[in-house]
Amino acid sequence: MSGFFTEADILRFSHAQEEAYLALRCAPNQHVTMVDMRAMHIQAKESVAAFQVRLSDPRVASRKIAFVVSKSLARMQIKRATDGLNAQLFSTEGEAEAWLFDGSAETVYVEDAGLGRRHAITRAPGRFQ
């Protein structure tokens, strides 16, 4: 994720996220998520609140969420948005994957039609078919 998110961006993201989750083959809420936010700007208070609601939504809630972040004020916003969730902040994708999958993982890439961006999805071999 990168840049600054408006209310319209968050709405498009939410729709694209719901579509992607419908394609998952694991049981509901058993997926794990890695979000690379190193290029994300500081967000408006309303955007942080909207993401917090989104992250807690039981229809799309992840079992674990790893955020790859830079050292900036955005870290504090992510901590507020993930309060009460099984989420951790990391400096590298490797550290995030190790926490999500105990060190063994494969990465696949999907196109997000809702935002027109390419996303990496990492999964542990044998856990998700």
Side-chain angles (χ1 to χ4, degrees):
M1 299 180 81
S2 63
F4 186 81
F5 278 71
T6 65
E7 185 177 334
D9 294 328
I10 295 170
L11 184 61
R12 279 195 309 276
F13 170 81
S14 297
H15 289 303
Q17 182 187 38
E18 287 176 12
E19 287 180 25
Y21 287 171
L22 290 174
L24 293 176
R25 296 185 195 165
C26 62
N29 308 110
Q30 293 306 300
H31 62 282
V32 295
T33 303
M34 180 171 63
V35 183
D36 186 341
M37 300 181 71
R38 290 176 285 191
M40 189 124 177
H41 298 304
I42 301 300
Q43 301 296 306
K45 184 170 52 170
E46 296 80 17
S47 295
V48 174
F51 276 119
Q52 185 174 27
V53 168
R54 188 74 195 149
L55 290 168
S56 301
D57 185 335
R59 294 174 299 152
V60 295
S62 298
R63 181 170 52 89
K64 292 171 89 174
I65 307 173
F67 291 93
V68 182
V69 297
S70 62
K71 297 185 186 302
S72 73
L73 230 46
R75 291 178 78 93
M76 296 307 296
Q77 288 187 323
I78 297 165
K79 286 182 181 182
R80 280 194 300 276
T82 60
D83 187 40
L85 301 175
N86 188 16
Q88 295 288 325
L89 305 181
F90 300 93
S91 298
T92 68
E93 291 177 21
E95 293 169 336
E97 288 178 353
W99 178 72
L100 288 170
F101 301 113
D102 303 323
S104 63
E106 65 176 297
T107 301
V108 295
Y109 294 89
V110 297
E111 295 295 328
D112 179 349
L115 296 175
R117 298 176 185 158
R118 188 171 187 240
H119 298 278
I121 297 177
T122 305
R123 59 185 177 193
R127 291 194 190 173
F128 305 110
Q129 300 302 324

